[in-house]
């Protein structure tokens, strides 16, 4: 423990100096009246880690599932619809549907919704986007470091 007067790291006593109880070393204690030895202090508790700042709601992004082509094709065939008829049903071009079913064209979210509805399948997956937050934190750290180096100049 450090003496509150001279800062020496040694055994301390509680001394009444100028009306104030101070934890001081034996040398400094001579300036006042020694009241009692400092009770063996409990190990200074480490400050609890500050609670993680409440992370913002993770961003939910909607993505088209990777196997959309297979899903659409299989679901359509299950319904016994020809590409042509199904395209008509969706009021989309047959060529577009063909591209979707062969994996050459990833449907837009809007089209995916339409396909989901018509085929009773799931094409849109929701993902929590967490990478962004981490990137932001890294950027902040960099910025603070940057500021410090600017101050040093
Ligand atoms: Zn001292």
């Amino acid at each position: 423990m450090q003496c509150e007067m001279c800062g020496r790291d040694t055994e301390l006593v509680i001394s009444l100096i100028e009306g104030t109880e101070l934890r001081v070393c034996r040398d400094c204690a001579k300036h006042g009246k020694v009241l009692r030895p400092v009770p063996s202090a409990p190990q200074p508790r480490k400050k609890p880690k500050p609670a993680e700042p409440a992370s913002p709601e993770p961003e939910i992004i909607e993505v088209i599932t990777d196997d959309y082509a297979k899903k659409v094709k299989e679901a359509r065939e299950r319904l016994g619809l020809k590409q042509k008829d199904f395209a008509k049903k969706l009021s989309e071009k047959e060529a577009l549907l063909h591209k979707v079913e062969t994996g050459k064209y990833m449907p837009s979210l809007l089209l995916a919704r339409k396909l989901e509805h018509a085929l009773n399948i799931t094409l849109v997956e929701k993902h929590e986007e967490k990478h962004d937050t981490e990137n932001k934190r890294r950027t902040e750290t960099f910025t603070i470091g940057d500021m410090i180096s600017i101050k040093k100049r």
Side-chain angles (χ1 to χ4, degrees):
M1 281 190 290
Q2 286 188 339
C3 169
E4 288 178 359
M5 284 188 78
C6 69
R8 202 139 59 100
D9 195 3
T10 182
E11 204 179 313
L12 303 180
V13 294
I14 291 173
S15 184
L16 189 68
I17 299 167
E18 289 170 17
T20 310
E21 280 187 28
L22 293 174
R23 292 170 180 218
V24 293
C25 66
R26 296 213 174 261
D27 285 342
C28 295
K30 287 171 191 163
H31 298 296
K33 187 184 163 202
V34 176
L35 298 176
R36 58 187 180 274
V38 170
S40 55
Q43 206 64 12
R45 258 190 303 164
K46 279 193 174 175
K47 275 188 186 172
K49 271 190 177 178
E52 285 281 308
S55 51
E57 287 288 304
E59 195 185 342
I60 307 284
I61 55 163
E62 292 181 317
V63 294
I64 309 294
T65 182
D66 285 338
D67 56 352
Y68 66 91
K70 196 173 144 221
K71 278 189 170 177
V72 171
K73 187 169 191 291
E74 283 179 1
R76 176 183 57 77
E77 285 172 348
R78 245 196 334 263
L79 292 174
L81 289 168
K82 285 178 182 163
Q83 263 186 9
K84 192 179 155 185
D85 299 329
F86 183 51
K88 203 183 262 181
K89 192 173 138 94
L90 290 174
S91 30
E92 296 289 347
K93 289 202 172 79
E94 188 188 341
L96 178 70
L97 185 62
H98 180 75
K99 276 187 188 170
V100 169
E101 287 192 4
T102 50
K104 284 174 186 158
Y105 175 81
M106 184 178 276
S108 65
L109 273 177
L110 199 70
L111 178 58
R113 293 286 187 211
K114 225 162 149 183
L115 290 164
E116 283 185 325
H117 192 70
L119 298 168
N120 196 26
I121 54 172
T122 306
L123 294 176
V124 181
E125 291 175 345
K126 285 180 179 174
H127 283 268
E128 285 186 8
E129 189 54 83
K130 285 174 181 166
H131 304 289
D132 268 6
T133 323
E134 271 173 28
N135 283 340
K136 271 178 204 159
R137 275 190 198 140
R138 257 178 237 132
T139 313
E140 273 168 21
T141 312
F142 176 74
T143 311
I144 290 162
D146 226 29
M147 279 166 62
I148 290 165
S149 65
I150 288 165
K151 275 185 187 170
K152 275 180 186 168
R153 269 178 225 153

